[in-house]
Amino acid sequence: MRSERVKEAGAAMSLEVKICGLSEPRTLDAALDAGADVVGLVSFPKSPRHVSVEQAATLAARARGRARVALLTVDATDNLIAELVAATMADILQLHGQESPERVRALRLIFGREVWKAVPIGEAADVALAQPYWDVADRVLFDARPPAGASLPGGNGVAFDWRLLADLDPKQSFVLSGGLTPDSVVEAVQTTRARAVDVSSGVERGPGVKDPDLIAAFVTRARSAAVSSSQR
């Protein structure tokens, strides 16, 4: 069962900002310097943001002590996850595949890490897809449903209608993702009352190529969104 401590922390803390798909020391440093709370490393060969186990280890070591590290995988085997965890000492497993609630529960027990489960959103009925995961994942990550024919489960630069989450209990530990940008994050946070946001393609100047200026702008504007939301 998900820890009550995580629920309480989620209800009380300020906005948490995650920059995902970092693959170079230079842009990882940009995220850390901007004050990102979580940095994400992608292990999925189809993604332009994919890093090897060795690259992930180097980047995680560079981030250690300055931000939490999340490993994004897609229907990965236990062996691959074990190799990645051993190499990076990651804090979070972020699951973007077809992982069942039982699989999420098992991975959380096996690896003793915080687990985030991505749920794709395209229409109102999709919000209910999160229901089986609330009690087995530490957080549910709401991402936009991939466009038809897309090869990636996320990082497609597509947003969903944030109003679909407007009635969600803000005490639920969820992360808002999907096509966020420095220009849209304020509205997104104010609409959903999210306490955590995750960006990848929205801070890139090309597929997999992060832009330090966009990273800094995103973190700054996300922080301002959290302040303005708390004053409403």
Side-chain angles (χ1 to χ4, degrees), residues 142-157:
F142 289 109
D143 201 354
R145 186 172 290 282
S151 60
L152 303 178
N156 294 295

Side-chain angles (χ1 to χ4, degrees), residues 167-190:
D167 294 329
L168 196 67
D169 184 349
K171 292 181 181 179
Q172 294 280 26
S173 290
F174 72 91
V175 182
L176 180 64
S177 188
L180 296 177
T181 69
D183 293 332
S184 68
V185 67
V186 172
E187 181 183 356
V189 170
Q190 291 176 345

Side-chain angles (χ1 to χ4, degrees), residues 5-91:
R5 181 185 59 78
V6 172
K7 286 185 179 180
E8 292 169 2
M13 69 182 181
S14 59
L15 185 75
E16 188 170 26
V17 180
K18 175 174 173 284
I19 309 296
C20 196
L22 293 158
S23 58
E24 300 175 302
R26 180 179 66 91
T27 50
L28 174 71
D29 287 347
L32 296 171
D33 291 343
D37 302 289
V38 184
V39 293
L41 309 176
V42 175
S43 177
F44 185 55
K46 292 183 179 180
S47 172
R49 305 164 188 97
H50 171 72
V51 292
S52 67
V53 174
E54 292 76 16
Q55 288 173 306
T58 298
L59 294 169
R62 199 177 186 96
R64 193 162 297 126
R66 298 186 64 188
R68 296 202 296 160
V69 174
L71 289 174
L72 188 157
T73 61
V74 181
D75 296 315
T77 64
D78 286 3
N79 287 343
L80 175 58
I81 295 175
E83 186 178 10
L84 286 164
V85 168
T88 64
M89 300 302 293
D91 305 282

Side-chain angles (χ1 to χ4, degrees), residues 59-121:
L59 294 169
R62 199 177 186 96
R64 193 162 297 126
R66 298 186 64 188
R68 296 202 296 160
V69 174
L71 289 174
L72 188 157
T73 61
V74 181
D75 296 315
T77 64
D78 286 3
N79 287 343
L80 175 58
I81 295 175
E83 186 178 10
L84 286 164
V85 168
T88 64
M89 300 302 293
D91 305 282
I92 300 161
L93 300 180
Q94 186 171 325
L95 310 177
H96 271 258
Q98 301 298 314
E99 297 92 355
S100 67
E102 293 74 22
R103 176 66 173 158
V104 172
R105 186 195 302 274
L107 290 174
R108 194 167 179 269
L109 290 172
I110 292 169
F111 295 104
R113 260 52 180 188
E114 187 173 321
V115 175
W116 297 3
K117 178 65 181 87
V119 172
I121 300 292

